[in-house]
């Protein structure tokens, strides 16, 4: 098995062309391809740094009585 990590370029027609020299023997191979934008790591870090403020969704409840007794009944 050979693992490669390389950068490519999508042309104006939307094609990604790969021409790879390998050290594998002649025969059938299985290819696994993962395509992500070149700035994927930066975009992922930016999205993780955004913490949403849920305070506008939180509220308070005014309760009259014994809450535990109400749950037990």
């Amino acid at each position: 098995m050979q693992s490669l990590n390389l950068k490519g370029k999508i042309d104006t027609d939307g094609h990604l062309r790969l021409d790879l020299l390998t050290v594998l023997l002649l025969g059938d191979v299985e290819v696994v391809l993962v395509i992500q934008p070149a700035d994927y790591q930066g975009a992922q870090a930016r999205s993780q740094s955004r913490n949403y403020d849920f305070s506008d969704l939180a509220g308070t409840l005014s309760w009259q009585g014994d809450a535990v007794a109400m749950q037990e009944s």
Side-chain angles (χ1 to χ4, degrees):
M1 184 171 135
Q2 184 178 14
S3 177
L4 302 171
N5 187 3
L6 57 101
K7 291 187 178 184
K9 187 169 280 218
I10 308 288
D11 64 20
T12 56
D13 295 330
H15 288 99
L16 171 63
R17 290 174 171 67
L18 300 174
D19 184 15
L20 303 171
L21 177 63
T22 69
V23 294
L24 300 172
L25 299 174
L26 181 65
D28 295 335
V29 296
E30 180 178 334
V31 177
V32 177
L33 181 64
V34 176
I35 300 175
Q36 65 187 14
D39 65 346
Y40 176 76
Q41 296 298 332
Q44 188 178 32
R46 285 190 301 273
S47 70
Q48 288 178 351
S49 67
R50 292 185 212 143
N51 291 328
Y52 185 77
D53 179 13
F54 289 96
S55 63
D56 61 331
L57 303 175
T60 60
L61 176 62
S62 298
W63 184 262
Q64 300 294 325
D66 186 357
V68 175
M70 185 66 174
Q71 290 179 30
E72 290 175 346
S73 61

